Structures are given as structure tokens and as C-alpha cells.
Amino acid sequence: MFKPSVWLLFISFIVSTYGFGFRGFHYENPRELEEINSTSRHIILEKWILQPLNHFDVRDNRLWSMRYYESDEFYNGTGPILIMLGGEWTISRGFLRSGLMFDIGKAHGAMMYYTEHRYYGKSRPVRNTKPENLQFLNVDQALADIAYFIEKKKFELDKFNQSVIVFGGSYSGNMAAWSRLKYPHLIQGALASSAPIHAKADFFEYYEVVSDLLRKYDEQCRNDVKSAIDTVELLLSHNYGAKVLQKSFNLCDTPNISDTSDIGWIMNSIAEVNLKRKNCYYYLFINL
């Protein structure tokens, strides 16, 4: 038998402390190896490149500055160009100091870059993200950013025949695969790690992996988390329960239980919570 007061106190603490948010807005960069663990002390340069705001309208001459990191630590003048593609996060220098691309770059004398996705990190094409300014936040424009970047870098290096390999994980893994397909004359290879290239609305397999990982950590942990989420679903099946959630989570409005968007937002927000604790959700689902 669950104790609503216990788990509501728990989840309310999470929400008030860390806030609700879709993955696309609060998602942090993939776990990069800490620079302190790398043997490399080469200076990684932060640079900027002017990009067209709209790659597909020749009448639109607006530009914006895209950030990227550059490392020529191993570049021998003939090696390939390796590019880590940023996704919905703020880029850092980690991938240019350690990891698979770093090892490949070292083995083949490559020039290495890490590009930041438009609208994320410091790469902001617009001053604010009001709805009318989000029209240029789409994958077609982002892929064109990559192609434009490659063309400019090849011109700067005066190496027009260099092979280019792009790397990415999750969404940026999709970008790596799509950019190779869309711009085969510029990109000779792509490594798409954990790329969900098959789009689907109910991507339940993702949480099956999460469930398996929780079970490996502690079977009771997995059961407690499931019990709490089941309880939220139960409350969202009644108007009274929705009011309880609105008060406990300090929401602006009571969730509309007849609106799948409202329910989906609530459940996604809970599922994406990450307190960055070694413990199972910081012991807060204990004694449900």
C-alpha cells in the first residue's frame, strides 16, 4: 500500500528544487570524460564562425555566430578532419581531450573539431526564444550548418580533398547519419552512437533500459520508482487526483486529465528528473 504523502513530499522536493523541463530544454551534454583524467594538456581553442540564419533563402542575409572548439594537437597536414557534432546541450572540451574520436585523431594525425548546435549553449542565433524566433530551430538548418562549417574549414586549411568523419550520440548521432546521407560530397563517414533514427511517439524501449539499470543497482530501487510513477498515473485518472498533483508540484494550473498533452508533459517531466546522486533517487522513494 503506497503512502501518497510520502512520495508527494518526495516528488514535490524534486520539482521545487530542480524544476520541470523537457529534455530538449534542460538536457545536459553526454557524459564526457573529465579533462583531469586525460593525459592531454594541449590548448583547445574556442572559436566562432558566422553562419547564415536561414540557409535556404538567398534573400535573407542575416548571420549569427556559432561556437566551436578546435584541436590541432595531432594534425599532420594530411590526416582526416574529425568533427564531433553537438546536440541539445552546451559543448565543452572533453571530447577533444579523450574518448573514441580523440583516440582516432591521435592514431591518424587528424584535425579535430566540436561544433555547437544552433540555439544551444552560447550559439544563439536570436536574442530571445519567443515562438516566432524558433522557426530556424530545425534539423535541416542544423545539418546545413554542418555542411557550411566543413566547406569553410576546408577552405581555411586549403585541404579540399581531406576526408571528413562526423561523430554524434543520441540526437546528434542522428545528425551524423543524416549529414552523411545529405552531404556525401562533404562527409565520407559517420559514427552514430545510440542514435534513435526510427522516430516513434511512444519510445518505451528507452525506459526499459533505464528500468534494467535501476534493477542492476538495486531491485527495490526499481520497484519503488515504478510504484511512485504508477501512483502519479493513478492520480491523473481523476480530477481530484489532478488537483492534489497541482498543489503538491506547485503547478500554475491543475492538469487537464482529458488532455493527453498535459498528462504527457507531467509524466515526461517526472521521468526526466535526475538528481545526480549515487543513491537511488536520493532515497526519496523509500517507504512507499
Side-chain angles (χ1 to χ4, degrees):
M1 181 70 177
F2 59 82
K3 303 174 183 177
S5 59
V6 175
W7 70 258
L8 281 175
L9 175 63
F10 165 42
I11 299 181
S12 298
F13 169 80
I14 295 176
V15 174
S16 62
T17 304
Y18 294 90
F20 276 119
F22 289 112
R23 169 174 172 168
F25 293 102
H26 291 93
Y27 186 56
E28 296 188 1
N29 60 321
R31 186 176 298 276
E32 300 179 18
L33 298 177
E34 295 293 338
E35 293 185 23
I36 194 172
N37 295 326
S38 173
T39 58
S40 173
R41 292 296 178 265
H42 185 73
I43 297 177
I44 308 298
L45 299 177
E46 179 186 62
K47 293 189 174 184
W48 303 82
I49 181 175
L50 288 176
Q51 289 272 8
L53 179 63
N54 186 354
H55 290 275
F56 309 111
D57 186 352
V58 295
R59 298 167 298 177
D60 190 340
N61 59 5
R62 288 175 292 176
L63 302 173
W64 64 280
S65 294
M66 184 182 83
R67 183 171 67 138
Y68 66 96
Y69 286 119
E70 174 183 295
S71 175
D72 62 356
E73 181 174 4
F74 308 117
Y75 187 52
N76 59 16
T78 61
I81 296 172
L82 307 182
I83 306 173
M84 179 66 68
L85 305 181
E88 66 278 36
W89 56 79
T90 300
I91 64 172
S92 65
R93 293 174 170 83
F95 284 127
L96 297 182
R97 291 198 182 280
S98 56
L100 178 60
M101 188 180 79
F102 176 84
D103 293 338
I104 294 175
K106 183 177 181 179
H108 296 280
M111 189 71 174
M112 297 184 296
Y113 300 99
Y114 189 0
T115 59
E116 191 163 64
H117 197 291
R118 57 170 56 204
Y119 286 79
Y120 289 91
K122 296 181 179 180
S123 298
R124 299 301 180 101
V126 295
R127 291 185 177 181
N128 60 69
T129 53
K130 55 186 179 181
E132 55 265 36
N133 285 337
L134 294 177
Q135 60 179 305
F136 302 108
L137 175 56
N138 59 68
V139 70
D140 290 319
Q141 297 285 359
L143 294 178
D145 287 340
I146 298 169
Y148 189 85
F149 178 84
I150 293 172
E151 290 177 335
K152 289 295 184 181
K153 287 298 136 185
K154 282 193 169 186
F155 179 81
E156 288 179 8
L157 295 171
D158 194 23
K159 301 291 182 180
F160 297 97
N161 295 320
Q162 301 290 84
S163 295
V164 175
I165 310 297
V166 293
F167 297 74
S170 191
Y171 161 61
S172 73
N174 284 3
M175 290 179 60
W178 293 332
S179 63
R180 162 63 178 148
L181 292 173
K182 191 169 185 178
Y183 302 105
H185 63 294
L186 295 175
I187 299 170
Q188 283 64 55
L191 191 151
S193 178
S194 299
I197 57 176
H198 176 59
K200 55 187 306 186
D202 184 11
F203 191 6
F204 64 88
E205 293 91 346
Y206 176 86
Y207 292 108
E208 287 181 344
V209 175
V210 174
S211 177
D212 290 342
L213 289 175
L214 287 176
R215 184 183 292 110
K216 288 181 180 179
Y217 172 79
D218 182 357
E219 181 70 28
Q220 188 59 43
C221 169
R222 182 261 182 193
N223 294 337
D224 289 342
V225 172
K226 182 179 185 303
S227 176
I229 291 177
D230 287 345
T231 303
V232 175
E233 290 182 336
L234 177 62
L235 286 175
L236 285 173
S237 65
H238 303 280
N239 286 321
Y240 174 76
K243 292 179 180 179
V244 171
L245 289 177
Q246 187 274 330
K247 182 178 180 180
S248 299
F249 290 176
N250 194 29
L251 301 177
C252 296
D253 301 298
T254 301
N256 182 354
I257 64 173
S258 63
D259 186 342
T260 55
S261 295
D262 263 21
I263 295 177
W265 184 83
I266 290 287
M267 298 309 299
N268 180 78
S269 299
I270 293 173
E272 291 295 337
V273 168
N274 176 13
L275 288 180
K276 299 182 181 177
R277 298 293 194 270
K278 293 181 180 179
N279 315 79
C280 176
Y281 280 83
Y282 204 45
Y283 297 119
L284 296 176
F285 272 126
I286 297 301
N287 298 320
L288 292 175

